[in-house]
Amino acid sequence: MRAQDSATAPTGIAVNGPLSPESPGAGTIQAALGVTAFSLTFPATVWGLEGFGPWSLVAVRSVLAALIAGGCLLALRVPLPGRRHWAGLAVVAAGVVIGFPLLTTLALQTSTTAHAAVVVGLLPLTTALFSALRMGSRPSRTFWAAALAGAAAVLAFTVQQSGGALTSADAYLFGALLVCAAGYTEGGRLARVMPGWQVIAWALVLCLPLTAPAAALALSYEPVQLTAHSVAGLLWVAAGSQFFGLVVWYRGMAAIGIPKASQLQLAQPLLTLVWSVLLLGEQLTPAAPLTAAAVLVCIAVTQRARG
């Protein structure tokens, strides 16, 4: 496949310049679908850890997702991205393909899903900060006030859920927060000049020479016990979280902007808690409805705020 510095994708979309803008409503729906897919990641990871070691789970999920992505790229005969995009794709790969999955999986060995949700609770604000630094975006004061209020509400809720105690997993969680925000920001930037699904697809393929040997090595050292839960968890984090979720997420960010799209993730911890009750049997406290209402108000404000 040749580089697409001045090429046009098989779909007829020029990949050398800005893509045809989608409507804000469609972009919001796509970003929301991404958030829904991501909200299942932590419960699915807990399921996966029932049968796989943490290193095996992360490496195998990346390999499976890369095979899906590579198959799509080959089937559609997508040309290689231009050289100027490879540095950005490397940031996406380091942040969302390797960094975030690895650090959160290591954290979930000792942390509950409620406590780990502090990462995604703070991720929208961190992503907006990265966006401001990287792309020069300047959201309004109203936007920042609502974003900070939403992040504070989610943080207070998740800390209360964990009893207010900090665990040894916090270092993993905050590290995951930083690398994921960087990956989201760079991916959102790239999704303005190439189809969003190609951003994550090329990032996954870029990691394959690293993740394939890592998967073989990890599987040789960590015991594997295939169960319905472990297989379902692995398949979801590979196909749902690592590929489909990121495809619609990057398309949504490209359509409505990184800061506004990132604020939709304020709902992700609450969705994760719902899935945790349904799939993992965790107990939901009375504070959940109040936090959900506060977060939804903050999301509404950020979506209406003018950047």
Side-chain angles (χ1 to χ4, degrees):
M1 292 183 288
R2 58 186 177 85
Q4 57 182 29
D5 283 319
S6 59
T8 300
T11 56
I13 300 176
V15 293
N16 189 39
L19 300 178
S20 300
E22 297 187 41
S23 68
T28 300
I29 291 173
Q30 290 180 95
L33 286 174
V35 170
T36 303
F38 298 153
S39 71
L40 279 160
T41 300
F42 285 172
T45 298
V46 172
W47 272 11
L49 287 172
E50 292 181 12
F52 295 90
W55 297 91
S56 299
L57 181 61
V58 172
V60 172
R61 72 179 270 184
S62 296
V63 170
L64 291 178
L67 293 176
I68 296 172
C72 293
L73 292 170
L74 287 174
L76 295 175
R77 299 181 180 180
V78 177
L80 288 168
R83 291 183 179 179
R84 67 187 184 280
H85 299 318
W86 283 104
L89 289 171
V91 174
V92 176
V96 303
V97 176
I98 296 178
F100 186 81
L102 176 60
L103 292 171
T104 54
T105 299
L106 291 173
L108 284 170
Q109 291 185 103
T110 57
S111 173
T112 64
T113 55
H115 187 80
V118 71
V119 175
V120 288
L122 296 176
L123 188 56
L125 178 59
T126 309
T127 302
L129 289 172
F130 269 76
S131 174
L133 293 173
R134 178 68 175 89
M135 305 179 67
S137 60
R138 294 293 183 268
S140 66
R141 291 182 179 179
T142 301
F143 177 96
W144 284 117
L148 287 169
V154 172
L155 178 59
F157 177 69
T158 52
V159 169
Q160 185 273 336
Q161 285 287 292
S162 63
L166 297 178
T167 69
S168 59
D170 287 326
Y172 291 134
L173 295 174
F174 285 110
L177 171 69
L178 294 176
V179 298
C180 190
Y184 278 175
T185 299
E186 200 64 21
R189 184 188 68 82
L190 288 172
R192 294 180 175 181
V193 295
M194 68 172 66
W197 76 270
Q198 291 183 23
V199 174
I200 185 57
W202 285 119
L204 286 164
V205 172
L206 181 66
C207 289
L208 196 55
L210 176 64
T211 55
L217 182 62
L219 289 171
S220 67
Y221 280 94
E222 293 180 333
V224 175
Q225 183 178 0
L226 297 180
T227 64
H229 275 183
S230 63
V231 172
L234 172 62
L235 292 178
W236 179 258
V237 294
S241 303
Q242 195 84 71
F243 186 66
F244 170 76
L246 286 168
V247 167
V248 293
W249 174 243
Y250 283 140
R251 286 179 63 88
M253 281 199 294
I256 65 176
I258 295 173
K260 286 190 175 182
S262 69
Q263 301 314 305
L264 291 173
Q265 273 196 312
L266 287 168
Q268 186 174 325
L270 305 174
L271 289 173
T272 297
L273 290 172
V274 172
W275 297 126
S276 298
V277 170
L278 296 176
L279 302 177
L280 304 177
E282 293 187 5
Q283 298 296 317
L284 202 61
T285 68
L290 295 176
T291 308
V295 167
L296 289 176
V297 169
C298 292
I299 292 176
V301 172
T302 60
Q303 292 302 297
R304 291 179 179 273
R306 304 178 70 177

